[in-house]
Amino acid sequence: MSAGTKAAELRGLADDELVGKLREAKEELFNLRFQAATGQLDNHGRLKLVRKDIARIYTLMRERELGIETVESA
């Protein structure tokens, strides 16, 4: 995933694509945590960005589940 994926970019994806992005982000988070535990992690800020991306994806999935429509400002 890119550094700090925007919610507007994620809103344009289909449900199965969101699940794929979520899977990729979780794998990346696992790898980053493993690197941090072994002392090989260079960019500690990346952990925070990936966690926020995961939360953003979960939020969009929940919005779709509830049928909530959000208006993006241009």
Side-chain angles (χ1 to χ4, degrees):
M1 294 186 77
S2 65
T5 307
K6 301 262 185 195
E9 296 171 13
L10 294 173
R11 284 195 198 328
L13 300 177
D15 290 340
D16 56 339
E17 292 172 328
L18 266 181
V19 171
K21 288 274 193 188
L22 179 62
R23 187 177 306 115
E24 290 174 11
K26 283 186 170 189
E27 288 176 13
E28 183 178 358
L29 182 60
F30 174 80
N31 290 331
L32 289 172
R33 283 182 174 161
F34 195 86
Q35 288 175 5
T38 58
Q40 298 175 353
L41 185 60
D42 295 329
N43 184 3
H44 292 280
R46 185 75 183 137
L47 281 167
K48 183 176 180 181
L49 287 175
V50 173
R51 280 198 318 265
K52 285 187 177 233
D53 283 345
I54 291 172
R56 195 171 288 121
I57 292 170
Y58 274 132
T59 300
L60 289 173
M61 291 171 71
R62 183 64 177 157
E63 284 177 355
R64 289 181 182 183
E65 182 181 319
L66 295 175
I68 299 173
E69 295 292 328
T70 58
V71 177
E72 287 288 324
S73 58

